[in-house]
Amino acid sequence: FVRNVVDGMRLAAVPNAVPGITFNWHLDSNAAQAPMLALEKAGVFRTGGYSMHMTAGPDAVAIGDGLGFDLDRNPVAQAFLRRMDARGHAVGSHGGWIHDYYGLNANETNAASFLPFLVENRRAVDTVLGHPSRDYSAPEGNNPLWAMSWLESQGVVGAYFGGHTGLGITRQYRDGALLNPNLWVMPVTPFGNYATFEEWQDYNVPKADVIGWFHAMVDFDIAQNTSRLVYAHPPGAYDWLDVTKNFIAYANSKGSGKFKWYSIERMADFLATRGQVSWSETPLASGATQVVATHPVSLAEMVWSLPKDRYLKPTQVSGARVANGGDYWLVKARPVQALQFQVKPNPLYNPG
């Protein structure tokens, strides 16, 4: 609305005004172990910044089936998670201890039965990492309110979300109430009716269409200066390794100044900090507008975007620097608690 209707200045919703994508990997069962190691060998995880979540119990579909990662007794999976953590990926829990059992059966009335599954899964993952995890996704996207409240109480700051499909990271309003203000949710963005490699393969979606969609996602995020989430499972991603690598290569080709991979945790931390920014616009007698912004800790990574068709280049800048952002002036804050600048209207501006 501010961009397309008001044509006003705005505070970027991504760090340093660099758009990106969250690539969320769900490690559901031991069927993912060989493919995830193969993907690692192929260089898919070389780029840091993904969100990577494991269901850690010994079972996967039903109690006693033995199809799970059994992380407590799986040195191969343990070493993999430690490598991913060291590379800069946000490693966290995927629910639920028993992937399908939790995902299909947890509900708003059985917290007493299913909370222990969350507790055990997080314990197993955090024990391997040696530090608390702050990133999360639920099997089947099943997020009962009690689960979200427990996750928030444990310091989890961001979660994959099945609602608000296609949006960027957002607040978790449920039934009109914001119950967990410290827990951000990142909705999945699907390609039409399908969102994973397995679905595209099962429903005969052509590889060329999927590649085009991945490219369009990157281009959309850059054009809109935003970030979206896509997700994958290692088995399907490895089956279409050429598509997976093409997506990553296309995104990386944009350059680190124009595109970043963001974990859910990274985006949640940024938006929590952004929410503490206070800023105002004050008209001056000279015809200019003075902008003042403050933050209790630091304005680092905050960027104001001003459309050039409406504003001349900002002047009287303190606590920031001005960069050329194409159709926009970018006022990039330094790591200070306060900044200010003045800006005059473009005399050629035509609001239409």
Side-chain angles (χ1 to χ4, degrees):
F1 179 83
V2 172
R3 173 177 176 168
N4 297 328
V5 178
V6 178
D7 196 29
M9 70 180 76
R10 64 191 191 279
L11 177 57
V14 287
N16 297 304
V18 178
I21 283 179
T22 295
F23 205 171
N24 187 194
W25 291 88
H26 292 184
L27 314 179
D28 298 354
S29 70
N30 60 25
Q33 182 158 298
M36 76 192 190
L37 295 174
L39 289 168
E40 180 186 21
K41 185 176 181 180
V44 168
F45 303 136
R46 187 173 298 126
T47 300
Y50 303 153
S51 284
M52 193 167 292
H53 305 148
M54 178 177 283
T55 309
D59 308 315
V61 178
I63 296 173
D65 64 22
L67 299 176
F69 269 102
D70 198 11
L71 184 61
D72 286 335
R73 288 169 288 277
N74 186 337
V76 174
Q78 292 172 9
F80 175 81
L81 291 188
R82 292 191 186 106
R83 290 195 301 274
M84 296 301 102
D85 184 54
R87 191 168 286 280
H89 300 300
V91 178
S93 282
H94 187 31
W97 199 239
I98 306 173
H99 184 277
D100 290 15
Y101 184 74
Y102 179 93
L104 297 175
N105 293 291
N107 60 48
E108 296 294 353
T109 65
N110 58 16
S113 298
F114 281 89
L115 178 57
F117 289 87
L118 282 188
V119 174
E120 277 296 282
N121 206 96
R122 191 163 190 269
R123 175 204 57 76
V125 171
D126 290 5
T127 297
V128 168
L129 299 179
H131 63 78
S133 55
R134 305 172 68 240
D135 220 86
Y136 174 82
S137 64
E140 311 293 339
N142 185 357
N143 287 306
L145 292 173
W146 56 262
M148 302 303 267
S149 294
W150 182 81
L151 291 165
E152 183 185 41
S153 75
Q154 299 301 302
V156 173
V157 296
Y160 160 98
F161 202 64
H164 311 311
T165 308
L167 285 182
I169 189 167
T170 186
R171 296 290 196 180
Q172 185 211 185
Y173 281 92
R174 305 281 285 271
D175 297 323
L178 179 59
L179 303 179
N180 307 113
N182 296 316
L183 178 60
W184 294 78
V185 294
M186 200 155 194
V188 62
T189 298
F191 178 25
N193 293 327
Y194 314 120
T196 68
F197 285 95
E198 289 82 3
E199 290 173 331
W200 298 323
Q201 292 155 12
D202 289 346
Y203 292 96
N204 300 310
V205 180
K207 281 186 177 182
D209 290 359
V210 175
I211 290 172
W213 175 72
F214 275 137
H215 289 198
M217 282 288 300
V218 173
D219 295 341
F220 171 85
D221 285 3
I222 291 174
Q224 302 299 325
N225 198 239
T226 188
S227 184
R228 293 293 188 270
L229 178 146
V230 298
Y231 89 109
H233 306 99
Y238 186 69
D239 284 345
W240 278 15
L241 181 60
D242 53 341
V243 177
T244 306
K245 295 181 74 172
N246 181 288
F247 168 41
I248 294 169
Y250 183 77
N252 288 341
S253 73
K254 301 301 179 180
S256 61
K258 292 185 177 179
F259 179 90
K260 291 282 190 182
W261 298 102
Y262 292 119
S263 67
I264 302 173
E265 172 186 315
R266 173 76 166 97
M267 287 300 299
D269 285 342
F270 171 75
L271 288 181
T273 298
R274 182 179 182 271
Q276 294 180 289
V277 175
S278 176
W279 64 290
S280 62
E281 302 177 39
T282 303
L284 303 177
S286 64
T289 295
Q290 176 147 327
V291 178
V292 176
T294 61
H295 190 279
V297 180
S298 175
L299 288 165
E301 299 192 330
M302 302 300 157
V303 178
W304 279 259
S305 178
L306 289 73
K308 288 183 179 179
D309 66 344
R310 183 169 182 179
Y311 299 103
L312 298 178
K313 184 176 181 179
T315 61
Q316 306 296 314
V317 181
S318 173
R321 65 182 181 88
V322 180
N324 186 347
D327 293 333
Y328 297 87
W329 300 113
L330 301 178
V331 180
K332 299 187 173 185
R334 301 188 188 280
V336 295
Q337 290 179 293
L339 67 76
Q340 60 182 359
F341 60 90
Q342 292 183 15
V343 61
K344 290 186 176 181
N346 187 334
L348 301 179
Y349 179 63
N350 180 3

